[in-house]
């Protein structure tokens, strides 16, 4: 029997068996080689603290509303296949599929499991992975989109000074994209040493530890008291937002990319925020219409992010860290994603 990684209860994962359905005429079947979970919103679901458990975001009202008894909710412990993206080889092709052939390597969205059957006609979220492309880069397709959205929403311009706060996959990629976009100085901030070191290896100018340093003041010192023009905040931590406001230049912009939980205290908007005309832009690459619509939409963000990953303008070699065998994925997910995120940046799962 085929096997997949399943969330069986909050904070608990297991490898369980599943059966594949027949391949449809517009579908392909893929044997998975590598996969990765999502360390942000998926983790909130895994911990049972997501607002989606009791409410749902209504796109018509554009607000959260209480779930009704007949509302469907896609997260069911005991059935929920954990995971975000995968890379694998096509092993079966439906009769109407013309763009993919057996033996091709592809990347798509879905859980950590041995096979995937996916639509392969007019599916922009299914991508061919050329031989020259690193599988680690391919697995960063999703965070690269949100990093690109954050950089664009920040209004970053050539020559700007930038701070990226939170060095999970999105922050790591955003720091690189800021450099590509022409930032003159990129500082990175995270309490986890391995994440700071990874960001420095792939191009950041300077790294700060918020547990040991007054980050906002340090950013002011490094910029001749002016502060950074742009902050890209991906940690969704209230203390990080406070330091963002403290280190931001007068009239600067914070692109708030992280998916926040309810703040428990520590954010004081009567301090720097009240004096310095800072702007906070809440950035989410998949919310439509895009701020630059119709020139930009989710598909264009996807295309650009994939091209930069494919051509190695972005380097994810040190971002997919650690890599563990699929047989260890249940224990590894709980250990490296849920309980001890300081031991990993973005967890990789190897099937081969």
């Amino acid at each position: 029997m085929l096997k997949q990684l399943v969330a069986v209860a909050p904070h608990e994962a297991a490898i369980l068996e599943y059966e594949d359905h027949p391949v449809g005429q517009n579908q392909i079947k893929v044997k998975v080689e590598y996969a990765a979970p999502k360390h942000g919103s998926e983790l909130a679901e895994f911990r049972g603290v997501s607002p989606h458990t009791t409410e749902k975001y209504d796109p018509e009202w554009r607000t959260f509303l209480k779930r009704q008894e007949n509302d469907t909710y896609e997260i069911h412990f005991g059935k929920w296949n954990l995971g975000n993206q995968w890379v694998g080889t096509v092993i079966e092709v439906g009769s109407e599929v013309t763009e993919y052939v057996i033996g091709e390597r592809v990347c798509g969205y879905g859980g950590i499991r041995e096979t995937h059957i996916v639509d392969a006609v007019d599916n922009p979220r299914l991508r061919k992975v050329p031989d020259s492309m690193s599988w680690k880069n391919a697995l960063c397709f999703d965070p690269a989109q949100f990093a690109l959205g954050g950089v664009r929403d920040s209004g970053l311009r050539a020559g700007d000074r930038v701070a990226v706060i939170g060095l999970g996959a999105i922050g790591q990629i955003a720091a690189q994209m800021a450099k590509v976009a022409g930032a003159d100085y990129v500082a990175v901030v995270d309490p986890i040493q391995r994440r700071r070191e990874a960001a420095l290896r792939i191009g950041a100018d300077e790294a700060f530890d918020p547990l040991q340093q007054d980050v906002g003041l340090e950013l002011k010192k490094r910029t001749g008291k002016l502060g950074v023009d742009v902050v890209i905040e991906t940690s969704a931590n209230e203390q990080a937002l406070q330091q963002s406001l403290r280190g931001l230049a007068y009239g600067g912009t914070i692109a708030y990319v992280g998916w926040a939980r309810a703040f428990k205290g520590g954010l004081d908007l009567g301090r720097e925020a009240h004096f310095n005309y800072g702007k906070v832009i809440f950035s989410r690459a998949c919310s439509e219409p895009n701020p630059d619509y119709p020139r930009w939409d989710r598909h264009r963000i996807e295309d650009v992010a994939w091209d930069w990953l494919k051509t190695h303008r972005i380097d994810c070699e040190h971002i997919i860290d650690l890599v563990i065998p699929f047989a260890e994925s249940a224990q590894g997910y709980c250990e490296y994603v849920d309980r001890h995120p300081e031991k990993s940046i973005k967890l990789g799962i190897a099937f081969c």
Side-chain angles (χ1 to χ4, degrees):
M1 289 288 290
L2 298 167
K3 295 181 179 180
Q4 63 180 352
L5 180 65
V6 174
V8 294
H11 302 282
E12 185 179 348
I15 295 176
L16 302 180
E17 294 180 344
Y18 71 96
E19 292 185 11
D20 268 336
H21 61 77
V23 176
Q25 60 183 12
N26 291 333
Q27 295 180 317
I28 59 172
K29 185 174 183 177
V30 179
K31 181 180 180 182
V32 176
E33 299 168 2
Y34 301 98
K38 192 179 184 79
H39 288 234
S41 54
E42 178 182 276
L43 182 56
E45 305 272 14
F46 183 67
R47 291 171 171 170
V49 297
S50 169
H52 294 286
T53 56
T54 57
E55 298 179 290
K56 66 175 182 179
Y57 181 77
D58 189 296
E60 182 180 354
W61 288 84
R62 293 193 178 275
T63 191
F64 276 88
L65 301 174
K66 291 289 185 182
R67 286 187 178 275
Q68 304 301 313
E69 289 186 6
N70 59 345
D71 285 339
T72 58
Y73 182 47
E74 60 273 17
I75 302 302
H76 298 283
F77 286 103
K79 298 181 180 180
W80 173 27
N81 182 200
L82 290 162
N84 178 230
Q85 294 210 268
W86 48 262
V87 171
T89 301
V90 178
I91 58 173
E92 190 174 344
V93 177
S95 60
E96 298 298 317
V97 175
T98 59
E99 295 184 33
Y100 300 90
V101 298
I102 291 173
E104 279 190 310
R105 208 178 198 196
V106 294
C107 171
Y109 278 80
I112 298 167
R113 60 194 330 209
E114 292 183 302
T115 61
H116 274 285
I117 295 174
V118 295
D119 292 339
V121 176
D122 296 326
N123 182 359
R125 308 188 85 192
L126 178 66
R127 301 277 170 157
K128 294 185 179 184
V129 180
D131 292 339
S132 59
M133 186 179 191
S134 161
W135 64 267
K136 291 185 176 182
N137 271 31
L139 287 183
C140 285
F141 182 37
D142 185 74
Q145 295 167 45
F146 291 92
L148 178 59
V151 170
R152 288 189 51 79
D153 290 341
S154 75
L156 188 157
R157 293 184 290 180
D160 276 351
R161 295 161 175 160
V162 179
V164 178
I165 300 182
L167 295 175
I170 295 175
Q172 297 278 352
I173 296 170
Q176 294 185 61
M177 287 183 170
K179 280 290 191 180
V180 172
D184 186 58
Y185 168 79
V186 176
V188 292
V189 181
D190 198 285
I192 299 173
Q193 181 177 349
R194 75 187 298 144
R195 296 185 177 192
R196 297 195 303 271
E197 291 175 348
L200 290 170
R201 282 197 297 270
I202 49 183
D205 294 298
E206 198 165 11
F208 298 102
D209 178 354
L211 300 183
Q212 303 296 327
Q213 296 169 282
D214 182 339
V215 170
L217 187 58
E218 292 299 326
L219 292 174
K220 291 288 180 67
K221 290 178 180 178
R222 298 307 195 277
T223 56
K225 300 181 182 178
L226 289 175
V228 293
D229 303 287
V230 166
V231 175
I232 299 171
E233 211 299 290
T234 75
S235 73
N237 177 279
E238 56 263 47
Q239 293 293 341
L241 180 55
Q242 191 73 56
Q243 290 297 324
S244 298
L245 293 163
R246 184 165 167 78
L248 187 68
Y250 187 92
T253 300
I254 299 169
Y256 199 87
V257 181
W259 188 40
R261 313 299 179 263
F263 288 169
K264 304 300 183 183
L267 179 63
D268 186 348
L269 299 181
R271 298 175 65 85
E272 290 83 5
H274 185 70
F275 288 87
N276 292 338
Y277 276 100
K279 297 181 287 293
V280 181
I281 304 296
F282 293 92
S283 175
R284 184 173 179 267
C286 57
S287 287
E288 300 282 25
N290 186 277
D292 290 320
Y293 182 83
R295 293 181 296 108
W296 282 84
D297 59 11
R298 175 76 186 274
H299 291 324
R300 185 173 177 185
I301 287 176
E302 290 173 336
D303 289 343
V304 172
W306 183 256
D307 184 65
W308 286 17
L309 291 165
K310 185 173 65 175
T311 57
H312 289 270
R313 295 177 77 180
I314 304 301
D315 179 7
C316 300
E317 193 64 28
H318 298 291
I319 297 174
I320 302 293
D321 168 56
L322 302 164
V323 179
I324 63 173
F326 172 64
E328 301 174 11
S329 61
Q331 178 183 356
Y333 191 99
C334 295
E335 177 72 9
Y336 303 120
V337 180
D338 183 26
R339 298 177 193 146
H340 294 285
E342 73 278 5
K343 295 181 179 181
S344 172
I345 300 177
K346 185 174 179 64
L347 185 65
I349 309 296
F351 289 78
C352 49

